[in-house]
Amino acid sequence: MNEYNQQGKDIRFIDSHYKDLFKLPDGGTIQIAYSDETVVKKCTFIDEYHTQIGYNVFHICQFAEIMERNNATYQPEPEICGDEAAWKVGRDRYLAIQICDDGYDYTLLNDDFAEIDGGQIDDPDLSMLEVRTDILDSFDLSNRELKATDYENLMEKMYQTSRQEVEKSLKSALEKPDAAKRESVLTQLNNVDMPEKTKPIKHSVPER
């Protein structure tokens, strides 16, 4: 629970003339559209006139003035209607989420598109944004800036990275006389397939 918001108050967003624009639940996310990109940031209630947006704390009028100077618009992040979505998380992480029969599958990648962790959220009643929040909180990534990215393109890059790693291992194994090791790497290479819509997951989100 937010220690600054024991009563569960909403966060107020205004323009530079103090006109109310919208309210956001504590811990919700806003979507900021700049001229060249769109980003998503988590918001945390501090008091009636201050909120933490990402890692920075703003007076609500200060934030409005900064947005106007940058010709940026901001709104509550819309719900995701599709079956899959992906984001760049900060500078060095990627998160992909897709709907499956029992809920949601997710894959967390580093900036080289290698898989760090994968899991399944067995709760189909959650929205994709709620699932994303749980995952990011579990890995202490919730305050990082998010940028939407193409899901299929991200999965293709992950596939290519996985195959390259196995091919490196195969090359190393072929240079050594260990037949068992060569057979093991060949098996790994054969098992690196293009990821399907529903990717098999072995792990689950770690408990907080």
Side-chain angles (χ1 to χ4, degrees):
M1 178 181 290
N2 181 358
E3 61 180 315
Y4 300 107
N5 193 15
Q6 300 292 329
Q7 297 177 345
K9 294 181 179 180
D10 289 339
I11 301 168
R12 183 164 64 110
F13 284 86
I14 61 173
D15 64 18
S16 61
H17 303 289
Y18 269 85
K19 177 184 177 181
D20 285 344
L21 298 179
F22 59 87
K23 291 185 177 182
L24 193 71
D26 189 13
T29 49
I30 59 168
Q31 180 174 283
I32 305 173
Y34 297 101
S35 60
D36 58 344
E37 65 179 358
T38 298
V39 301
V40 170
K41 295 188 178 186
K42 178 183 176 181
C43 302
T44 304
F45 182 95
I46 301 299
D47 61 33
E48 298 286 354
Y49 297 99
H50 295 85
T51 182
Q52 180 176 332
I53 301 175
Y55 288 105
N56 301 309
V57 175
F58 297 92
H59 187 283
I60 57 175
C61 189
Q62 175 196 16
F63 178 76
E65 291 171 348
I66 292 173
M67 293 296 100
E68 289 184 13
R69 285 200 299 270
N70 286 279
N71 294 316
T73 59
Y74 48 102
Q75 64 177 7
E77 182 184 13
E79 286 291 343
I80 297 168
C81 299
D83 292 341
E84 58 195 31
W87 302 267
K88 185 174 184 180
V89 183
R91 296 181 179 179
D92 60 357
R93 294 289 184 271
Y94 290 88
L95 177 64
I97 301 176
Q98 66 176 19
I99 293 174
C100 64
D101 291 341
D102 298 322
Y104 297 87
D105 289 341
Y106 78 91
T107 307
L108 184 67
L109 311 172
N110 65 18
D111 55 349
D112 292 322
F113 307 106
E115 182 174 346
I116 297 172
D117 196 88
Q120 183 168 310
I121 309 297
D122 297 323
D123 192 343
D125 293 330
L126 293 176
S127 71
M128 191 173 289
L129 293 185
E130 289 172 326
V131 169
R132 186 190 68 191
T133 295
D134 285 348
I135 295 168
L136 294 177
D137 285 347
S138 297
F139 291 97
D140 197 24
L141 299 171
S142 60
N143 285 327
R144 291 196 179 191
E145 180 178 274
L146 304 177
K147 297 179 183 178
T149 189
D150 184 76
Y151 178 92
E152 296 292 345
N153 185 47
L154 183 61
M155 292 295 97
E156 170 67 21
K157 289 179 178 178
M158 182 186 74
Y159 161 72
Q160 295 295 342
T161 296
S162 298
R163 189 167 185 87
Q164 287 169 10
E165 288 301 314
V166 173
E167 287 173 347
K168 286 180 183 178
S169 298
L170 176 59
K171 181 178 179 181
S172 175
L174 292 175
E175 293 173 352
K176 298 178 182 180
D178 190 334
K181 184 175 181 179
R182 288 200 302 272
E183 183 65 27
S184 174
V185 175
L186 284 169
T187 300
Q188 292 180 52
L189 183 61
N190 290 331
N191 288 335
V192 177
D193 297 322
M194 185 65 188
E196 299 178 358
K197 285 287 183 180
T198 303
K199 178 177 174 289
I201 300 296
K202 298 180 180 179
H203 312 293
S204 59
V205 174
E207 294 183 0
R208 286 182 258 169

Coordinates of all heavy atoms in Angstrom, one line a residue, residues 98-187:
Q98 N 0.8 -12.3 -24.0 CA -0.2 -12.7 -24.9 C -1.3 -13.5 -24.1 O -1.0 -14.1 -23.1 CB 0.3 -13.6 -26.0 CG 0.9 -14.9 -25.6 CD 1.4 -15.7 -26.8 OE1 1.6 -15.2 -27.9 NE2 1.6 -17.0 -26.5
I99 N -2.5 -13.5 -24.6 CA -3.6 -14.3 -24.0 C -3.4 -15.7 -24.3 O -3.0 -16.1 -25.4 CB -4.9 -13.8 -24.5 CG1 -5.2 -12.3 -24.0 CG2 -6.1 -14.7 -24.1 CD1 -6.5 -11.7 -24.6
C100 N -3.7 -16.6 -23.3 CA -3.7 -18.0 -23.6 C -5.0 -18.6 -22.9 O -5.8 -17.9 -22.4 CB -2.4 -18.7 -23.0 SG -2.3 -18.6 -21.2
D101 N -5.2 -19.9 -23.0 CA -6.4 -20.5 -22.6 C -6.7 -20.3 -21.1 O -7.8 -20.1 -20.7 CB -6.4 -22.0 -22.8 CG -6.4 -22.4 -24.3 OD1 -6.9 -21.5 -25.1 OD2 -6.1 -23.5 -24.7
D102 N -5.6 -20.3 -20.3 CA -5.8 -20.2 -18.8 C -5.6 -18.8 -18.3 O -5.6 -18.6 -17.1 CB -4.9 -21.2 -18.1 CG -5.2 -22.6 -18.5 OD1 -6.4 -22.9 -18.6 OD2 -4.3 -23.4 -18.6
G103 N -5.2 -17.8 -19.1 CA -4.9 -16.5 -18.6 C -4.0 -15.8 -19.6 O -4.4 -15.4 -20.7
Y104 N -2.7 -15.6 -19.2 CA -1.8 -14.9 -20.0 C -0.4 -15.5 -19.9 O 0.0 -16.0 -18.8 CB -1.6 -13.4 -19.5 CG -2.9 -12.6 -19.6 CD1 -3.8 -12.6 -18.5 CD2 -3.1 -11.8 -20.7 CE1 -5.0 -11.9 -18.6 CE2 -4.3 -11.0 -20.8 CZ -5.2 -11.1 -19.7 OH -6.3 -10.3 -19.8
D105 N 0.3 -15.5 -21.0 CA 1.7 -15.9 -21.0 C 2.6 -14.6 -21.1 O 2.1 -13.7 -21.8 CB 2.1 -16.8 -22.3 CG 1.5 -18.2 -22.2 OD1 1.1 -18.6 -21.0 OD2 1.3 -18.8 -23.2
Y106 N 3.7 -14.7 -20.5 CA 4.6 -13.5 -20.7 C 6.0 -13.9 -20.9 O 6.4 -15.1 -20.5 CB 4.6 -12.6 -19.4 CG 5.4 -13.1 -18.2 CD1 6.7 -12.7 -18.1 CD2 4.8 -14.0 -17.3 CE1 7.4 -13.2 -17.0 CE2 5.5 -14.4 -16.2 CZ 6.8 -14.0 -16.1 OH 7.6 -14.5 -15.0
T107 N 6.8 -13.1 -21.5 CA 8.3 -13.3 -21.7 C 9.0 -12.0 -21.4 O 8.6 -10.9 -22.0 CB 8.6 -13.7 -23.1 OG1 7.8 -14.9 -23.5 CG2 10.1 -14.1 -23.3
L108 N 10.0 -12.0 -20.6 CA 10.8 -10.9 -20.2 C 12.2 -11.1 -20.9 O 12.8 -12.1 -20.7 CB 11.0 -10.7 -18.7 CG 11.7 -9.5 -18.2 CD1 11.0 -8.2 -18.6 CD2 12.0 -9.6 -16.7
L109 N 12.6 -10.1 -21.7 CA 13.9 -10.2 -22.4 C 14.8 -9.1 -22.0 O 14.4 -8.0 -21.5 CB 13.6 -10.0 -23.9 CG 12.5 -10.9 -24.5 CD1 12.2 -10.5 -26.0 CD2 12.9 -12.4 -24.5
N110 N 16.1 -9.3 -22.3 CA 17.1 -8.2 -22.1 C 17.3 -7.4 -23.4 O 16.6 -7.7 -24.4 CB 18.4 -8.8 -21.6 CG 19.1 -9.7 -22.6 OD1 18.8 -9.7 -23.8 ND2 20.1 -10.5 -22.1
D111 N 18.2 -6.5 -23.4 CA 18.3 -5.6 -24.6 C 19.0 -6.3 -25.8 O 19.1 -5.8 -26.9 CB 19.0 -4.3 -24.3 CG 20.4 -4.5 -23.6 OD1 20.7 -5.7 -23.2 OD2 21.1 -3.6 -23.5
D112 N 19.5 -7.6 -25.5 CA 20.0 -8.4 -26.6 C 19.0 -9.4 -27.1 O 19.2 -10.3 -27.9 CB 21.2 -9.2 -26.2 CG 22.4 -8.3 -25.9 OD1 22.6 -7.3 -26.7 OD2 23.2 -8.5 -25.0
F113 N 17.7 -9.2 -26.6 CA 16.6 -10.1 -27.0 C 16.7 -11.5 -26.5 O 16.1 -12.4 -27.1 CB 16.3 -10.0 -28.5 CG 16.2 -8.6 -29.0 CD1 17.2 -8.0 -29.8 CD2 15.1 -7.8 -28.7 CE1 17.1 -6.7 -30.2 CE2 15.0 -6.5 -29.2 CZ 16.0 -6.0 -29.9
A114 N 17.5 -11.7 -25.5 CA 17.6 -13.0 -24.9 C 16.6 -13.1 -23.7 O 16.4 -12.2 -23.0 CB 19.0 -13.3 -24.3
E115 N 16.0 -14.3 -23.6 CA 15.0 -14.4 -22.6 C 15.6 -14.5 -21.2 O 16.5 -15.2 -20.9 CB 14.2 -15.7 -22.8 CG 13.0 -16.0 -21.8 CD 12.2 -17.2 -22.1 OE1 12.3 -17.7 -23.3 OE2 11.4 -17.6 -21.3
I116 N 15.0 -13.6 -20.3 CA 15.4 -13.6 -18.9 C 14.5 -14.5 -18.1 O 14.9 -15.2 -17.2 CB 15.4 -12.2 -18.4 CG1 16.4 -11.3 -19.1 CG2 15.7 -12.1 -16.9 CD1 16.3 -9.8 -18.7
D117 N 13.2 -14.4 -18.4 CA 12.2 -15.2 -17.6 C 11.0 -15.3 -18.4 O 10.7 -14.4 -19.3 CB 11.9 -14.5 -16.3 CG 11.2 -15.4 -15.3 OD1 12.0 -16.2 -14.6 OD2 10.0 -15.5 -15.3
G118 N 10.2 -16.3 -18.2 CA 8.9 -16.5 -18.8 C 8.0 -17.1 -17.8 O 8.4 -17.7 -16.9
G119 N 6.7 -16.8 -18.0 CA 5.7 -17.4 -17.0 C 4.3 -17.3 -17.5 O 4.0 -16.9 -18.6
Q120 N 3.4 -17.8 -16.7 CA 2.0 -17.8 -17.0 C 1.2 -17.3 -15.8 O 1.5 -17.6 -14.7 CB 1.5 -19.2 -17.4 CG 0.0 -19.2 -17.8 CD -0.3 -20.6 -18.4 OE1 0.3 -21.1 -19.3 NE2 -1.4 -21.2 -17.9
I121 N 0.3 -16.4 -16.1 CA -0.6 -15.8 -15.1 C -1.9 -16.5 -15.2 O -2.6 -16.3 -16.2 CB -0.7 -14.3 -15.2 CG1 0.6 -13.6 -15.3 CG2 -1.6 -13.7 -14.1 CD1 1.5 -13.7 -14.1
D122 N -2.3 -17.3 -14.3 CA -3.5 -18.1 -14.4 C -4.7 -17.4 -13.9 O -5.3 -17.9 -12.9 CB -3.3 -19.5 -13.7 CG -2.2 -20.3 -14.3 OD1 -2.1 -20.3 -15.6 OD2 -1.5 -21.0 -13.6
D123 N -5.0 -16.3 -14.5 CA -6.2 -15.5 -14.0 C -6.8 -14.8 -15.2 O -6.4 -13.6 -15.5 CB -5.8 -14.5 -12.9 CG -7.0 -13.9 -12.2 OD1 -8.1 -14.0 -12.8 OD2 -6.9 -13.4 -11.1
P124 N -7.6 -15.4 -16.0 CA -8.2 -14.8 -17.2 C -9.1 -13.6 -16.9 O -9.4 -12.8 -17.8 CB -9.0 -15.9 -17.8 CG -9.3 -16.8 -16.7 CD -8.1 -16.8 -15.8
D125 N -9.5 -13.4 -15.6 CA -10.3 -12.2 -15.2 C -9.6 -10.9 -15.2 O -10.2 -9.9 -15.2 CB -11.0 -12.5 -13.9 CG -12.0 -13.6 -14.0 OD1 -12.6 -13.8 -15.1 OD2 -12.2 -14.3 -13.0
L126 N -8.2 -11.0 -15.1 CA -7.4 -9.8 -15.1 C -7.3 -9.2 -16.4 O -7.4 -9.9 -17.5 CB -6.0 -10.1 -14.6 CG -5.8 -10.5 -13.1 CD1 -4.4 -10.9 -12.8 CD2 -6.3 -9.4 -12.2
S127 N -7.2 -7.9 -16.5 CA -7.0 -7.2 -17.8 C -5.5 -7.3 -18.1 O -4.7 -7.6 -17.2 CB -7.4 -5.7 -17.7 OG -6.4 -5.0 -16.9
M128 N -5.1 -7.1 -19.4 CA -3.7 -7.2 -19.7 C -2.9 -6.1 -19.0 O -1.7 -6.4 -18.6 CB -3.5 -7.1 -21.2 CG -2.1 -7.4 -21.7 SD -1.9 -7.5 -23.5 CE -2.8 -9.0 -23.9
L129 N -3.5 -5.0 -18.8 CA -2.7 -3.9 -18.1 C -2.5 -4.3 -16.6 O -1.4 -4.1 -16.0 CB -3.5 -2.6 -18.1 CG -3.6 -1.9 -19.5 CD1 -4.3 -0.5 -19.3 CD2 -2.2 -1.7 -20.1
E130 N -3.5 -5.0 -16.0 CA -3.3 -5.5 -14.6 C -2.2 -6.6 -14.6 O -1.4 -6.6 -13.6 CB -4.6 -6.0 -14.1 CG -5.6 -5.0 -13.8 CD -7.0 -5.5 -13.5 OE1 -7.4 -6.6 -14.0 OE2 -7.7 -4.9 -12.7
V131 N -2.2 -7.4 -15.6 CA -1.2 -8.5 -15.6 C 0.2 -7.8 -15.8 O 1.2 -8.2 -15.1 CB -1.5 -9.5 -16.8 CG1 -0.3 -10.4 -17.0 CG2 -2.7 -10.3 -16.5
R132 N 0.3 -6.9 -16.7 CA 1.6 -6.2 -16.9 C 2.1 -5.5 -15.6 O 3.3 -5.6 -15.3 CB 1.4 -5.1 -18.0 CG 2.8 -4.5 -18.4 CD 2.5 -3.3 -19.3 NE 1.9 -2.2 -18.6 CZ 1.4 -1.1 -19.2 NH1 1.4 -1.0 -20.5 NH2 0.8 -0.1 -18.4
T133 N 1.2 -4.9 -14.9 CA 1.5 -4.3 -13.6 C 2.1 -5.3 -12.6 O 3.1 -5.1 -12.0 CB 0.3 -3.6 -13.0 OG1 -0.1 -2.5 -13.8 CG2 0.7 -3.0 -11.6
D134 N 1.4 -6.4 -12.5 CA 1.9 -7.5 -11.6 C 3.3 -8.0 -12.0 O 4.2 -8.2 -11.1 CB 0.9 -8.7 -11.6 CG -0.3 -8.4 -10.8 OD1 -0.4 -7.3 -10.1 OD2 -1.3 -9.1 -10.9
I135 N 3.5 -8.2 -13.3 CA 4.8 -8.7 -13.7 C 5.9 -7.6 -13.4 O 7.0 -7.9 -12.9 CB 4.8 -9.0 -15.2 CG1 3.8 -10.2 -15.5 CG2 6.2 -9.3 -15.7 CD1 3.5 -10.4 -16.9
L136 N 5.7 -6.4 -13.8 CA 6.7 -5.3 -13.6 C 7.0 -5.1 -12.1 O 8.1 -4.9 -11.7 CB 6.2 -4.0 -14.2 CG 6.1 -4.0 -15.8 CD1 5.5 -2.7 -16.3 CD2 7.4 -4.3 -16.4
D137 N 5.9 -5.2 -11.3 CA 6.2 -5.1 -9.8 C 7.0 -6.2 -9.3 O 7.9 -6.0 -8.5 CB 4.8 -5.1 -9.1 CG 4.1 -3.8 -9.2 OD1 4.7 -2.8 -9.6 OD2 2.9 -3.8 -8.9
S138 N 6.8 -7.4 -9.8 CA 7.5 -8.6 -9.4 C 9.0 -8.5 -9.7 O 9.9 -9.1 -9.0 CB 7.0 -9.9 -10.0 OG 5.6 -10.1 -9.7
F139 N 9.4 -7.8 -10.8 CA 10.8 -7.7 -11.2 C 11.3 -6.3 -10.9 O 12.4 -5.9 -11.4 CB 10.9 -8.0 -12.7 CG 10.7 -9.4 -13.0 CD1 9.5 -9.9 -13.4 CD2 11.7 -10.4 -12.8 CE1 9.2 -11.2 -13.7 CE2 11.5 -11.7 -13.1 CZ 10.2 -12.1 -13.6
D140 N 10.6 -5.5 -10.0 CA 11.0 -4.2 -9.6 C 11.3 -3.3 -10.8 O 12.3 -2.6 -10.9 CB 12.3 -4.3 -8.8 CG 12.6 -3.0 -8.0 OD1 11.6 -2.3 -7.7 OD2 13.8 -2.7 -7.6
L141 N 10.4 -3.3 -11.8 CA 10.5 -2.5 -13.0 C 9.3 -1.6 -13.2 O 9.2 -0.9 -14.2 CB 10.5 -3.5 -14.2 CG 11.7 -4.5 -14.3 CD1 11.5 -5.5 -15.5 CD2 13.0 -3.8 -14.5
S142 N 8.5 -1.4 -12.2 CA 7.2 -0.7 -12.4 C 7.4 0.8 -12.7 O 6.5 1.4 -13.3 CB 6.3 -0.9 -11.1 OG 7.0 -0.4 -10.0
N143 N 8.4 1.4 -12.2 CA 8.6 2.8 -12.5 C 9.3 3.2 -13.8 O 9.5 4.3 -14.1 CB 9.3 3.5 -11.3 CG 8.5 3.6 -10.1 OD1 7.3 3.8 -10.2 ND2 9.1 3.5 -8.9
R144 N 9.7 2.2 -14.5 CA 10.4 2.4 -15.8 C 9.4 2.9 -16.8 O 8.3 2.5 -16.9 CB 11.1 1.1 -16.2 CG 12.3 0.8 -15.4 CD 13.2 -0.2 -16.1 NE 14.3 -0.7 -15.4 CZ 15.3 -1.3 -15.9 NH1 15.3 -1.7 -17.2 NH2 16.4 -1.7 -15.2
E145 N 9.9 3.7 -17.7 CA 9.2 4.2 -18.8 C 8.9 3.1 -19.8 O 9.8 2.3 -20.1 CB 9.9 5.3 -19.5 CG 9.3 5.9 -20.7 CD 10.1 7.1 -21.3 OE1 9.9 8.2 -20.8 OE2 10.9 6.8 -22.2
L146 N 7.7 3.0 -20.3 CA 7.3 2.0 -21.3 C 7.1 2.6 -22.7 O 6.4 3.6 -22.8 CB 6.0 1.2 -20.8 CG 6.0 0.6 -19.4 CD1 4.7 0.0 -19.1 CD2 7.1 -0.4 -19.3
K147 N 7.5 1.9 -23.7 CA 7.2 2.2 -25.1 C 6.7 1.0 -25.8 O 7.4 0.0 -25.8 CB 8.5 2.7 -25.8 CG 9.1 4.0 -25.2 CD 10.3 4.4 -25.9 CE 11.0 5.7 -25.2 NZ 12.2 6.1 -25.9
A148 N 5.5 1.1 -26.4 CA 4.9 0.0 -27.1 C 5.8 -0.4 -28.3 O 6.4 0.5 -29.0 CB 3.5 0.4 -27.6
T149 N 6.0 -1.7 -28.5 CA 6.7 -2.2 -29.6 C 6.0 -3.3 -30.3 O 5.0 -3.8 -29.7 CB 8.1 -2.6 -29.2 OG1 8.9 -2.9 -30.3 CG2 8.1 -3.9 -28.3
D150 N 6.4 -3.7 -31.5 CA 5.6 -4.7 -32.2 C 5.9 -6.1 -31.6 O 7.0 -6.5 -31.5 CB 6.0 -4.7 -33.7 CG 5.2 -5.7 -34.5 OD1 4.1 -5.4 -34.8 OD2 5.8 -6.8 -34.9
Y151 N 4.8 -6.8 -31.3 CA 4.9 -8.1 -30.6 C 5.6 -9.1 -31.5 O 6.6 -9.8 -31.1 CB 3.6 -8.6 -30.2 CG 3.5 -10.0 -29.6 CD1 3.6 -10.1 -28.2 CD2 3.4 -11.1 -30.3 CE1 3.6 -11.4 -27.6 CE2 3.4 -12.4 -29.8 CZ 3.6 -12.5 -28.4 OH 3.6 -13.7 -27.8
E152 N 5.2 -9.3 -32.8 CA 5.7 -10.3 -33.7 C 7.2 -10.0 -34.0 O 8.0 -11.0 -34.0 CB 4.9 -10.3 -35.0 CG 3.4 -10.7 -34.8 CD 3.3 -12.2 -34.4 OE1 4.3 -12.9 -34.5 OE2 2.2 -12.6 -34.0
N153 N 7.5 -8.8 -34.2 CA 8.9 -8.4 -34.4 C 9.8 -8.8 -33.2 O 10.9 -9.3 -33.4 CB 9.0 -6.9 -34.8 CG 10.4 -6.5 -35.2 OD1 11.1 -7.2 -36.0 ND2 10.9 -5.4 -34.6
L154 N 9.3 -8.5 -32.0 CA 10.1 -8.8 -30.8 C 10.3 -10.3 -30.7 O 11.4 -10.8 -30.4 CB 9.4 -8.3 -29.6 CG 10.1 -8.5 -28.3 CD1 11.4 -7.8 -28.3 CD2 9.2 -8.0 -27.1
M155 N 9.2 -11.1 -31.0 CA 9.4 -12.6 -30.9 C 10.3 -13.1 -31.9 O 11.1 -14.1 -31.7 CB 8.0 -13.2 -31.0 CG 7.0 -13.0 -29.9 SD 7.6 -13.7 -28.3 CE 8.3 -12.3 -27.5
E156 N 10.3 -12.5 -33.1 CA 11.3 -12.9 -34.2 C 12.7 -12.7 -33.7 O 13.6 -13.5 -33.9 CB 10.9 -12.2 -35.4 CG 12.0 -12.3 -36.5 CD 12.1 -13.7 -37.1 OE1 11.1 -14.5 -37.0 OE2 13.2 -14.0 -37.7
K157 N 12.9 -11.5 -33.1 CA 14.3 -11.2 -32.6 C 14.7 -12.2 -31.5 O 15.9 -12.6 -31.4 CB 14.3 -9.8 -32.1 CG 14.3 -8.7 -33.2 CD 14.3 -7.3 -32.7 CE 14.2 -6.3 -33.8 NZ 14.2 -4.9 -33.3
M158 N 13.8 -12.5 -30.6 CA 14.1 -13.5 -29.6 C 14.5 -14.9 -30.2 O 15.4 -15.5 -29.8 CB 12.9 -13.7 -28.6 CG 13.2 -14.6 -27.5 SD 11.7 -15.0 -26.5 CE 10.8 -16.0 -27.5
Y159 N 13.7 -15.3 -31.2 CA 14.0 -16.5 -31.9 C 15.4 -16.5 -32.5 O 16.1 -17.5 -32.4 CB 12.9 -16.8 -33.0 CG 13.3 -17.8 -34.0 CD1 13.4 -19.1 -33.7 CD2 13.6 -17.3 -35.3 CE1 13.7 -20.0 -34.7 CE2 13.9 -18.2 -36.3 CZ 14.0 -19.6 -36.0 OH 14.4 -20.4 -37.0
Q160 N 15.7 -15.4 -33.2 CA 17.0 -15.3 -33.9 C 18.1 -15.4 -32.8 O 19.2 -16.0 -33.0 CB 17.1 -14.1 -34.7 CG 16.1 -14.0 -35.9 CD 16.4 -15.1 -36.9 OE1 17.5 -15.6 -37.0 NE2 15.4 -15.4 -37.8
T161 N 17.9 -14.7 -31.7 CA 19.0 -14.7 -30.7 C 19.1 -16.1 -30.1 O 20.3 -16.6 -29.9 CB 18.6 -13.7 -29.5 OG1 18.5 -12.4 -30.1 CG2 19.6 -13.8 -28.4
S162 N 18.0 -16.8 -29.8 CA 18.1 -18.2 -29.3 C 18.8 -19.1 -30.2 O 19.7 -19.9 -29.8 CB 16.7 -18.7 -29.0 OG 16.0 -17.9 -28.1
R163 N 18.5 -19.0 -31.5 CA 19.2 -19.9 -32.5 C 20.7 -19.6 -32.6 O 21.5 -20.5 -32.7 CB 18.5 -19.7 -33.8 CG 18.9 -20.8 -34.9 CD 18.1 -20.8 -36.1 NE 18.5 -21.9 -36.9 CZ 18.0 -23.2 -36.8 NH1 17.2 -23.5 -35.9 NH2 18.5 -24.1 -37.6
Q164 N 21.0 -18.3 -32.6 CA 22.4 -17.9 -32.7 C 23.2 -18.5 -31.5 O 24.4 -18.9 -31.6 CB 22.6 -16.4 -32.7 CG 22.2 -15.8 -34.1 CD 22.1 -14.3 -34.0 OE1 22.5 -13.7 -33.0 NE2 21.5 -13.7 -35.1
E165 N 22.6 -18.4 -30.3 CA 23.3 -19.0 -29.1 C 23.5 -20.5 -29.2 O 24.6 -21.0 -28.9 CB 22.5 -18.6 -27.8 CG 22.5 -17.2 -27.5 CD 24.0 -16.7 -27.2 OE1 24.7 -17.4 -26.5 OE2 24.3 -15.6 -27.7
V166 N 22.5 -21.2 -29.7 CA 22.7 -22.6 -29.8 C 23.7 -22.9 -30.9 O 24.5 -23.9 -30.8 CB 21.3 -23.3 -30.2 CG1 21.5 -24.7 -30.5 CG2 20.3 -23.1 -29.0
E167 N 23.7 -22.2 -32.0 CA 24.7 -22.4 -33.1 C 26.1 -22.2 -32.6 O 27.0 -22.9 -33.0 CB 24.4 -21.5 -34.3 CG 23.1 -22.0 -35.0 CD 22.7 -21.0 -36.1 OE1 23.3 -19.8 -36.1 OE2 21.9 -21.3 -37.0
K168 N 26.3 -21.2 -31.7 CA 27.6 -21.0 -31.1 C 28.0 -22.2 -30.3 O 29.2 -22.6 -30.3 CB 27.6 -19.7 -30.2 CG 27.6 -18.4 -31.0 CD 27.5 -17.2 -30.1 CE 27.4 -15.9 -30.8 NZ 27.4 -14.7 -29.9
S169 N 27.1 -22.7 -29.5 CA 27.4 -23.9 -28.7 C 27.7 -25.1 -29.6 O 28.6 -25.9 -29.2 CB 26.2 -24.2 -27.8 OG 25.9 -23.1 -26.9
L170 N 27.0 -25.2 -30.7 CA 27.2 -26.3 -31.6 C 28.6 -26.2 -32.2 O 29.3 -27.2 -32.2 CB 26.2 -26.3 -32.7 CG 26.3 -27.3 -33.8 CD1 26.3 -28.7 -33.2 CD2 25.3 -27.2 -34.9
K171 N 29.0 -25.0 -32.6 CA 30.3 -24.8 -33.2 C 31.4 -25.2 -32.1 O 32.4 -25.9 -32.5 CB 30.5 -23.4 -33.6 CG 31.9 -23.1 -34.2 CD 32.0 -21.7 -34.7 CE 33.4 -21.4 -35.3 NZ 33.5 -20.0 -35.7
S172 N 31.2 -24.8 -30.9 CA 32.2 -25.1 -29.9 C 32.2 -26.6 -29.6 O 33.3 -27.2 -29.4 CB 31.8 -24.4 -28.6 OG 32.6 -24.8 -27.5
A173 N 31.0 -27.3 -29.6 CA 31.0 -28.7 -29.4 C 31.6 -29.5 -30.5 O 32.3 -30.5 -30.2 CB 29.5 -29.1 -29.2
L174 N 31.5 -29.0 -31.7 CA 32.0 -29.8 -32.8 C 33.6 -29.7 -32.8 O 34.2 -30.5 -33.5 CB 31.5 -29.2 -34.2 CG 30.0 -29.5 -34.4 CD1 29.6 -28.8 -35.7 CD2 29.7 -31.0 -34.5
E175 N 34.1 -28.7 -32.1 CA 35.6 -28.6 -32.1 C 36.2 -29.5 -31.0 O 37.4 -29.6 -30.9 CB 35.9 -27.1 -31.8 CG 35.6 -26.2 -33.0 CD 35.8 -24.8 -32.6 OE1 36.1 -24.5 -31.4 OE2 35.7 -23.9 -33.5
K176 N 35.3 -30.2 -30.2 CA 35.8 -31.0 -29.2 C 35.3 -32.5 -29.4 O 34.3 -32.7 -30.1 CB 35.2 -30.5 -27.8 CG 35.7 -29.1 -27.5 CD 35.1 -28.7 -26.2 CE 35.6 -27.2 -25.9 NZ 35.0 -26.7 -24.6
P177 N 36.0 -33.5 -28.9 CA 35.7 -34.9 -29.2 C 34.6 -35.5 -28.4 O 34.4 -36.7 -28.4 CB 37.0 -35.6 -28.9 CG 37.7 -34.7 -27.8 CD 37.3 -33.3 -28.1
D178 N 33.9 -34.6 -27.6 CA 32.8 -35.1 -26.7 C 31.6 -35.4 -27.5 O 30.8 -34.5 -27.8 CB 32.6 -34.1 -25.6 CG 31.7 -34.7 -24.5 OD1 30.9 -35.6 -24.8 OD2 31.8 -34.3 -23.4
A179 N 31.3 -36.6 -27.9 CA 30.2 -37.0 -28.7 C 28.8 -36.7 -28.0 O 27.9 -36.2 -28.6 CB 30.2 -38.5 -29.1
A180 N 28.8 -37.0 -26.7 CA 27.6 -36.7 -26.0 C 27.2 -35.2 -26.0 O 26.0 -34.9 -26.1 CB 27.7 -37.2 -24.5
K181 N 28.2 -34.4 -25.8 CA 28.0 -33.0 -25.8 C 27.5 -32.5 -27.2 O 26.6 -31.7 -27.3 CB 29.2 -32.2 -25.4 CG 29.0 -30.7 -25.3 CD 30.2 -30.0 -24.8 CE 30.0 -28.5 -24.7 NZ 31.2 -27.8 -24.2
R182 N 28.1 -33.0 -28.3 CA 27.6 -32.7 -29.6 C 26.2 -33.1 -29.8 O 25.4 -32.3 -30.4 CB 28.5 -33.4 -30.7 CG 29.9 -32.8 -30.7 CD 30.6 -33.2 -32.1 NE 30.6 -34.7 -32.3 CZ 31.6 -35.4 -31.9 NH1 32.6 -34.9 -31.2 NH2 31.6 -36.7 -32.1
E183 N 25.8 -34.3 -29.4 CA 24.4 -34.7 -29.6 C 23.5 -33.8 -28.8 O 22.4 -33.5 -29.3 CB 24.3 -36.2 -29.1 CG 22.9 -36.8 -29.2 CD 22.6 -37.0 -30.7 OE1 23.5 -37.1 -31.6 OE2 21.4 -36.9 -31.0
S184 N 23.9 -33.4 -27.6 CA 23.0 -32.5 -26.8 C 22.8 -31.2 -27.5 O 21.6 -30.7 -27.5 CB 23.7 -32.3 -25.4 OG 22.9 -31.4 -24.7
V185 N 23.8 -30.6 -28.0 CA 23.7 -29.3 -28.7 C 22.8 -29.5 -30.0 O 22.0 -28.6 -30.3 CB 25.0 -28.7 -29.0 CG1 24.9 -27.4 -29.8 CG2 25.8 -28.4 -27.7
L186 N 23.0 -30.5 -30.7 CA 22.2 -30.8 -31.9 C 20.7 -30.8 -31.6 O 19.9 -30.3 -32.3 CB 22.7 -32.0 -32.6 CG 24.0 -31.9 -33.4 CD1 24.5 -33.3 -33.8 CD2 23.8 -31.0 -34.6
T187 N 20.5 -31.5 -30.5 CA 19.1 -31.6 -30.0 C 18.5 -30.2 -29.7 O 17.4 -29.9 -30.0 CB 19.0 -32.5 -28.8 OG1 19.5 -33.8 -29.1 CG2 17.5 -32.6 -28.3

